[in-house]
Amino acid sequence: MTNWNTELVEAVAAMAERVGIDTTTPAAGTDGALWAALTEAGFTEIGIPEDRGGSGGSTFDALSVVHAVTGRGALTMLLEHAVLASCLVAECTGSPASGPATLAAAGNGCTARDTADGAVLDGTVTGVVHGSDAEVLVVLLPASGPAERPSVAIVAPGAPGVTVERGSDLLGAALDDYHFTATPVQLHESPFRVTELEERGALAYAVALTAAAGAIRDRTLRYAAERVQFGRRLAEFQAVQQRLAGLAALTALMETATEVAVACDDDPARRRTAFAAAKVVTSASAREVAAAGHQIHGAIGFTSEHSLGRFTTALWSWRDRYGSERYWSEVLAGQILDEGADPWDVITGAGPTAALAAERTSR
C-alpha cells in the first residue's frame, strides 16, 4: 500500500473526528465543516507552489489528502478543486482560485470569442462535478489546431449569460449542465495539454477509488468478525472466507496499481502507461468490491444510514470519471498496436521508448 504523507493523513483524521461526518447516502450536500477546516489549514491549496499563492508541497501530498478525506467517507470537492481546477488557475494567473473551484472539459460546441468588452463564452458544458458548490468554474476549451494548446476560461457561475440545469450523481454530489450565452470570462492559454489534465484526473480518481475500496474492505472484515449468524461468526463460514479473500485481493491489486502510478508521476516515459493501468484496475474492480461488501453485510448495508453505502456508491459513481476501464484499456492497446511499444515493456512497467514518450509529449 502506498506510504502516504503520514502527517497529512493524521491531520485529516483529526479534523474529521473533530467536525464529524454524516455518511447518509445519498448525501444532502457536501461536508462543509470539514471543507472549512481543510481550507483553514491550507490543505485545499497543497500542491500549488508558494510563489503562486499555494501551500507548497507536491502532487503526492495533495493526493495524500484526497486519499485521507475519501477514506473517511467525506463528500467534498477537494479532488476537483485541489488536484485539478485551482492548480490550473494558479498556473494561468499566478494565484489559486478565489474560492472553491471545479474543472469542466468543453467539447467543440463551446467556444470563446473576443468582443469590445473582453472575452465571452458561448455554448454548453455537461456533467460538471460539484458545479453548484463551486464559486469558480474552470472550463477547458479544445485547441483550434494540432499545434495549438487548449484555452482556459475562468467563469463566475453567477456571471451574466449563465443558466444551469441541476443534477446529481448516485452519491448525491452535484452534476450540472451549464449553458453560456456571451458570458464574460477570463481567457488564458492552458499551460497543460488535454492529455496531461486527463491523466491527472485519472490518477486522482484512481486514488479516490482505492481509498473507497480500502474502507469497504476494512468495514466488511470487521463486520464479518463481529456478526454472529447460526451460532457462528460470519468470518468462520468457508464461503464467507472465500468472499473476503477475493475482496482483499482486489483491494490489494487496486492499491498496488495506484502505488505504481503515483511513483511514476514525475517520469514522462512511464506516467501515461502507469496512469492508464491504475485507472483500468481501479475502475474494473469497483463493481466487484462493492458487490462483495454488500453481500457480506446483507440487508443492513443497503440502508441509507449505514456507512457502507457512502463508499460503494462512490465506487459506482467514480469508475467512469476521467475515463472508464474500457477507455484506458484502449489507450494501453494503442501504445502497442499504433505506437509500436513492446508489449513486454508495457506489462513489466518499463514503459514505451523515449522516442514514443517524446512524441506523445509534443502532441
Side-chain angles (χ1 to χ4, degrees):
M1 185 171 61
T2 303
N3 185 23
W4 300 108
N5 186 314
T6 305
E7 292 183 1
L8 292 176
V9 170
E10 290 177 351
V12 170
M15 292 178 195
E17 182 69 24
R18 185 175 71 252
V19 304
I21 296 172
D22 180 7
T23 55
T24 301
T25 307
T30 59
D31 288 290
L34 181 60
W35 177 262
L38 291 168
T39 301
E40 183 179 1
F43 285 9
T44 57
E45 307 302 343
I46 288 179
I48 299 175
E50 293 183 39
D51 61 5
R52 292 185 179 274
S55 301
S58 63
T59 300
F60 172 78
D61 295 325
L63 292 174
S64 294
V65 178
V66 168
H67 189 280
V69 169
T70 305
R72 280 154 185 80
L75 180 61
T76 71
M77 56 189 302
L78 181 71
L79 189 156
E80 285 74 21
H81 173 87
V83 181
L84 298 170
S86 192
C87 70
L88 184 55
V89 172
E91 289 291 331
C92 290
T93 67
S95 59
S98 57
T102 191
L103 177 67
N108 293 326
C110 195
T111 58
R113 56 189 171 88
D114 290 321
T115 69
D117 297 322
V120 297
L121 188 64
D122 298 290
T124 298
V125 290
T126 59
V128 181
V129 182
H130 288 299
S132 60
D133 303 313
E135 296 178 10
V136 178
L137 180 60
V138 183
V139 180
L140 186 67
L141 302 169
S144 56
E148 300 293 327
R149 285 186 176 272
S151 299
V152 174
I154 302 174
V155 191
V162 178
T163 56
V164 187
E165 293 181 30
R166 303 296 184 192
S168 64
D169 62 14
L170 296 174
L171 195 57
L175 199 63
D176 305 324
D177 296 343
Y178 279 78
H179 306 280
F180 306 106
T181 304
T183 301
V185 298
Q186 297 181 43
L187 195 63
H188 303 268
E189 182 182 67
S190 174
F192 305 114
R193 298 188 183 277
V194 173
T195 53
E196 292 176 291
L197 287 169
E198 176 187 65
E199 291 168 2
R200 192 177 179 92
L203 175 63
Y205 269 103
V207 169
L209 286 163
T210 300
I216 292 170
R217 174 200 57 205
D218 295 344
R219 281 164 170 73
T220 303
L221 288 171
R222 184 167 57 249
Y223 180 79
E226 296 172 350
R227 173 68 173 173
V228 175
Q229 192 73 27
F230 304 113
R232 299 165 63 187
R233 293 179 302 157
L234 286 180
E236 295 176 3
F237 290 91
Q238 186 176 20
V240 174
Q241 292 172 357
Q242 292 173 339
R243 196 68 164 129
L244 288 171
L247 170 59
L250 279 176
T251 306
L253 185 63
M254 295 170 75
E255 291 172 342
T256 300
T258 302
E259 178 180 1
V260 171
V262 172
C264 290
D265 187 40
D266 295 325
D267 186 348
R270 298 178 59 196
R271 57 178 284 144
R272 187 162 178 82
T273 302
F275 290 5
K279 195 58 166 65
V280 168
V281 169
T282 54
S283 292
S285 302
R287 179 175 294 178
E288 186 62 21
V289 168
H294 277 297
Q295 184 177 25
I296 294 173
H297 274 82
I300 191 174
F302 285 94
T303 60
S304 62
E305 296 84 2
H306 198 284
S307 63
L308 181 71
R310 175 59 60 94
F311 302 101
T312 56
T313 308
L315 294 186
W316 297 330
S317 299
W318 297 342
R319 58 180 301 191
D320 290 340
R321 297 264 172 91
Y322 284 88
S324 65
E325 61 263 38
R326 178 170 182 172
Y327 173 83
W328 287 106
S329 293
E330 290 175 351
V331 168
L332 292 174
Q335 292 182 353
I336 297 170
L337 300 175
D338 300 331
E339 300 178 3
D342 189 307
W344 184 248
D345 288 343
V346 174
I347 293 170
T348 60
T353 64
L356 288 173
E359 180 184 347
R360 285 203 301 273
T361 301
S362 65
R363 292 175 185 170

